[in-house]
Amino acid sequence: MADLLIAGLASGALYALVGVALVVIYRASGVLNFAQGDMATIILFVAYFLLVGQGLPYPVVIPAVLAFAVLQGALVYLLVVRPVQNRPALTVIMATFGVSLILNAVVVYLFGGEARGFPAALTGPNFELGPFVLSPQRALTIGVAIGVMVLGYVIFNRSRAGLIVRAAYQNRSAAVLMGVRVKRLMLGVWVTSAVLGVVAALLLAPLVRLSSGVMNDVLLIAFAAVVIGGLTSPAGAVVGGMLIGIGQAAIAAYLTLELQATFMFVVILAVLMLRPQGLLGTRDTTVEDHGVGEAAGRRSRRSSPCPGLVGGLERVRRSDSVRAAVDMVTWLPARLAMVPSRFYAIAVLGAVLVIPMLVPVSFEAAVAVQVAALVPAVISVTVLSGVSGQLSVGQAGFVAVGAYATALLNQHTALDGAIVVVVSALLACGFGAAMGLPAIRVSGPYLALITLAFSWAVPEILVAWDSVTGGYAGTYVADATMFGIAIGDTVTNFYVIIPLVAVLVYGSHRLLRSEFARKLRAVRDSEPAAAAVGLDPARYKILAFTISAGFAGVAGSLLAYSVGFIAPETFTVYLSIYLLLAAVLGGIESVAGAVLGATFITVVPIAAGSAGAALPQVVFGASLLALILFLPGGLASIASRLRLRASRSAGTSTGGSGGVSASRVLVPKDC
């Protein structure tokens, strides 16, 4: 029993440290940092290189890697977070996803994917402390974690710095007007969080094998810890981490190792249903910030006009010659963008269906089928996270339900494939409705982390239920007919699945333009206002989950038919992340963006070919950051931007009100 408690406390201390790092950022900015794990991992590999590759001792390496952590935290904030910090929380969260992808790819490229041992800071025989037997490394882990957490408590609850952080979280504009340098404060918060993550990683590494994903599971468990304890409470993160650590040790000793994530999901769900803000968290009292305070702060600190260089660059950018060059380059694309999108959709669909008849392109046809099968899954993200505004990282779970329902129905019934797809989608809808129930009580990051836990638990359940699902070995999907046509080979799948998905895309396009979608947006934008006009927010949230899960179930069914084999490893939480990535890349509220996003996440890994696993992740991460920074509406917004340019050009050429006066006085916006 004593050994069990020590193991649980050591693990819980690590979860608590990472949890506190997450809470520090959330408490200051209201953002979840999904790059926390990979930020710590790359510094951990630097420490490994210095310790093992260069033979340096720990007293030299620790200050060096902590300095690297400070630099890394500062760069991530200044280059990625600060430019988008006034945008919606989803934008900042996706920016951290992009950072995570790039850092993980850098680790794989520089150090490879193989696991390796990490030298312990303390070695020697175990020693007794009352009834407990401790190894030197575990004692160090528990001692350092307790010391850091006590220091954090004093700073955040008994110091002026902690008071400033709380004030900035509740009302950033008011904090700026009172003289708080919010940007400098945020820089310090991100640096502190990076250092805490590296400390946790250094304590963990000697206890496990070092690999590129060593901190990913720890990060997921830390998310669970902060949800249980409360996202606004560092003490809650400590309590949640300790509870999970001890609970994991008890489950491993007395029950089974196979269902730890499932038990964690159940505990998270139970805690948040009873106390939506977590055990020690407080209800969100933040005031909506429109950036007025920061603008006022900037103006109050600038008594002189804008520098001449900045004004000169602005005039050059908007000069007649530059404007004419831009108009000339974009004239044809802008005119093409004025053509109704349905004509392009018909032309693309026709070309996709006709080309395989003329040229033998079996490989390309197989890729097209994969893209088509993923499109409904990305549309499910569009409906739930884009239109309804409920951030979900659990869509892979619904895809898995559709896929396994299809496999089992094919094995045990003689239903037509089209009916199987419908039944699988309805079953997924049932799971979606059940997952929508927590949305009545919780929202925002708490709801997102519930869906994350669900997505994490589903593959574990599929493995444990091996008598039905085949466990790790997976299961084959028997040959079937759809609409009376035998499917199974690439060409037949192509001509059956592509038109089916085209119809689904058209239907979802109509859905997103319907009155129902307008009601979903009304609930998303303001629940009190929606309730005031007679809408029931709870009902529409559950409906959004249900419809979204139905789309994901269709995707799972089509994936099962197109691939012919399914396994739990296909439906991990990383599939949910990539589906969310696809939706943001394409345009989170656009069906056309869903098609573009599904194409992107399918084609990039294939195009990378033999370049290795690192290149696709770099492309994904860099593309995501580039779009967030320079094209917030995603790829689908390019057409609307071109249409706007064309209409403005037409107004200018006719002298209408849409034109832009050449004599307008141009003043930089910060003046």
Side-chain angles (χ1 to χ4, degrees), residues 369 479 486-495 561-562:
V369 170
D479 292 337
I487 59 174
D489 64 280
T490 300
V491 175
T492 306
N493 287 347
F494 182 89
Y495 283 108
Y561 278 129
S562 61

mmCIF file of all heavy atoms in Angstrom, residues 369 479 486-495 561-562:
data_model
loop_
_atom_site.group_PDB
_atom_site.id
_atom_site.type_symbol
_atom_site.label_atom_id
_atom_site.label_comp_id
_atom_site.label_asym_id
_atom_site.label_seq_id
_atom_site.Cartn_x
_atom_site.Cartn_y
_atom_site.Cartn_z
ATOM 1 N N VAL A 369 -10.973 9.054 -53.062
ATOM 2 C CA VAL A 369 -11.943 8.378 -52.198
ATOM 3 C C VAL A 369 -11.618 8.652 -50.730
ATOM 4 O O VAL A 369 -12.529 8.892 -49.918
ATOM 5 C CB VAL A 369 -11.964 6.864 -52.490
ATOM 6 C CG1 VAL A 369 -12.788 6.127 -51.444
ATOM 7 C CG2 VAL A 369 -12.525 6.596 -53.876
ATOM 8 N N ASP A 479 -17.030 -7.555 -47.963
ATOM 9 C CA ASP A 479 -17.509 -6.979 -49.220
ATOM 10 C C ASP A 479 -19.010 -6.740 -49.136
ATOM 11 O O ASP A 479 -19.756 -7.491 -48.492
ATOM 12 C CB ASP A 479 -17.207 -7.922 -50.383
ATOM 13 C CG ASP A 479 -15.710 -8.025 -50.646
ATOM 14 O OD1 ASP A 479 -14.991 -7.087 -50.258
ATOM 15 O OD2 ASP A 479 -15.278 -9.040 -51.224
ATOM 16 N N ALA A 486 -21.927 -3.690 -56.346
ATOM 17 C CA ALA A 486 -20.887 -4.311 -55.530
ATOM 18 C C ALA A 486 -19.706 -3.357 -55.405
ATOM 19 O O ALA A 486 -19.167 -2.872 -56.409
ATOM 20 C CB ALA A 486 -20.438 -5.632 -56.161
ATOM 21 N N ILE A 487 -19.314 -3.059 -54.174
ATOM 22 C CA ILE A 487 -18.186 -2.148 -53.939
ATOM 23 C C ILE A 487 -17.046 -2.924 -53.300
ATOM 24 O O ILE A 487 -17.234 -4.002 -52.749
ATOM 25 C CB ILE A 487 -18.597 -0.964 -53.043
ATOM 26 C CG1 ILE A 487 -19.120 -1.475 -51.681
ATOM 27 C CG2 ILE A 487 -19.628 -0.093 -53.723
ATOM 28 C CD1 ILE A 487 -19.401 -0.370 -50.697
ATOM 29 N N GLY A 488 -15.868 -2.367 -53.377
ATOM 30 C CA GLY A 488 -14.689 -3.021 -52.831
ATOM 31 C C GLY A 488 -13.435 -2.636 -53.580
ATOM 32 O O GLY A 488 -12.410 -2.335 -52.971
ATOM 33 N N ASP A 489 -13.499 -2.590 -54.919
ATOM 34 C CA ASP A 489 -12.327 -2.169 -55.687
ATOM 35 C C ASP A 489 -12.305 -0.649 -55.799
ATOM 36 O O ASP A 489 -13.310 0.034 -55.604
ATOM 37 C CB ASP A 489 -12.331 -2.818 -57.072
ATOM 38 C CG ASP A 489 -13.509 -2.360 -57.906
ATOM 39 O OD1 ASP A 489 -14.627 -2.897 -57.709
ATOM 40 O OD2 ASP A 489 -13.326 -1.448 -58.733
ATOM 41 N N THR A 490 -11.159 -0.105 -56.156
ATOM 42 C CA THR A 490 -10.951 1.339 -56.131
ATOM 43 C C THR A 490 -11.887 2.079 -57.069
ATOM 44 O O THR A 490 -12.506 3.089 -56.694
ATOM 45 C CB THR A 490 -9.489 1.663 -56.505
ATOM 46 O OG1 THR A 490 -8.618 1.031 -55.570
ATOM 47 C CG2 THR A 490 -9.249 3.161 -56.501
ATOM 48 N N VAL A 491 -12.030 1.608 -58.284
ATOM 49 C CA VAL A 491 -12.843 2.322 -59.278
ATOM 50 C C VAL A 491 -14.307 2.347 -58.865
ATOM 51 O O VAL A 491 -14.979 3.383 -58.939
ATOM 52 C CB VAL A 491 -12.674 1.686 -60.675
ATOM 53 C CG1 VAL A 491 -13.601 2.356 -61.676
ATOM 54 C CG2 VAL A 491 -11.222 1.803 -61.130
ATOM 55 N N THR A 492 -14.826 1.209 -58.408
ATOM 56 C CA THR A 492 -16.228 1.170 -57.989
ATOM 57 C C THR A 492 -16.450 2.071 -56.780
ATOM 58 O O THR A 492 -17.445 2.817 -56.726
ATOM 59 C CB THR A 492 -16.644 -0.275 -57.640
ATOM 60 O OG1 THR A 492 -16.340 -1.127 -58.740
ATOM 61 C CG2 THR A 492 -18.128 -0.339 -57.349
ATOM 62 N N ASN A 493 -15.548 2.006 -55.815
ATOM 63 C CA ASN A 493 -15.655 2.902 -54.660
ATOM 64 C C ASN A 493 -15.677 4.360 -55.099
ATOM 65 O O ASN A 493 -16.431 5.178 -54.563
ATOM 66 C CB ASN A 493 -14.474 2.677 -53.707
ATOM 67 C CG ASN A 493 -14.584 1.381 -52.949
ATOM 68 O OD1 ASN A 493 -15.640 0.746 -52.928
ATOM 69 N ND2 ASN A 493 -13.495 0.960 -52.312
ATOM 70 N N PHE A 494 -14.847 4.659 -56.089
ATOM 71 C CA PHE A 494 -14.762 6.029 -56.588
ATOM 72 C C PHE A 494 -16.116 6.500 -57.115
ATOM 73 O O PHE A 494 -16.602 7.573 -56.742
ATOM 74 C CB PHE A 494 -13.703 6.090 -57.693
ATOM 75 C CG PHE A 494 -13.481 7.461 -58.264
ATOM 76 C CD1 PHE A 494 -12.553 8.316 -57.703
ATOM 77 C CD2 PHE A 494 -14.193 7.888 -59.379
ATOM 78 C CE1 PHE A 494 -12.345 9.575 -58.238
ATOM 79 C CE2 PHE A 494 -13.990 9.137 -59.914
ATOM 80 C CZ PHE A 494 -13.058 9.987 -59.342
ATOM 81 N N TYR A 495 -16.739 5.702 -57.959
ATOM 82 C CA TYR A 495 -17.983 6.141 -58.608
ATOM 83 C C TYR A 495 -19.205 6.001 -57.711
ATOM 84 O O TYR A 495 -20.280 6.514 -58.050
ATOM 85 C CB TYR A 495 -18.195 5.366 -59.909
ATOM 86 C CG TYR A 495 -17.310 5.881 -61.015
ATOM 87 C CD1 TYR A 495 -16.224 5.141 -61.460
ATOM 88 C CD2 TYR A 495 -17.533 7.122 -61.580
ATOM 89 C CE1 TYR A 495 -15.390 5.618 -62.456
ATOM 90 C CE2 TYR A 495 -16.708 7.608 -62.566
ATOM 91 C CZ TYR A 495 -15.640 6.855 -63.002
ATOM 92 O OH TYR A 495 -14.811 7.346 -63.983
ATOM 93 N N TYR A 561 -15.687 1.303 -45.565
ATOM 94 C CA TYR A 561 -15.911 0.713 -46.882
ATOM 95 C C TYR A 561 -14.733 0.956 -47.822
ATOM 96 O O TYR A 561 -14.349 0.082 -48.612
ATOM 97 C CB TYR A 561 -17.184 1.289 -47.508
ATOM 98 C CG TYR A 561 -18.448 0.629 -47.029
ATOM 99 C CD1 TYR A 561 -19.513 1.387 -46.552
ATOM 100 C CD2 TYR A 561 -18.599 -0.757 -47.059
ATOM 101 C CE1 TYR A 561 -20.690 0.787 -46.113
ATOM 102 C CE2 TYR A 561 -19.766 -1.367 -46.623
ATOM 103 C CZ TYR A 561 -20.801 -0.597 -46.152
ATOM 104 O OH TYR A 561 -21.955 -1.201 -45.722
ATOM 105 N N SER A 562 -14.153 2.154 -47.766
ATOM 106 C CA SER A 562 -13.098 2.498 -48.727
ATOM 107 C C SER A 562 -11.781 1.807 -48.401
ATOM 108 O O SER A 562 -11.039 1.416 -49.307
ATOM 109 C CB SER A 562 -12.893 4.014 -48.766
ATOM 110 O OG SER A 562 -12.483 4.495 -47.499
#
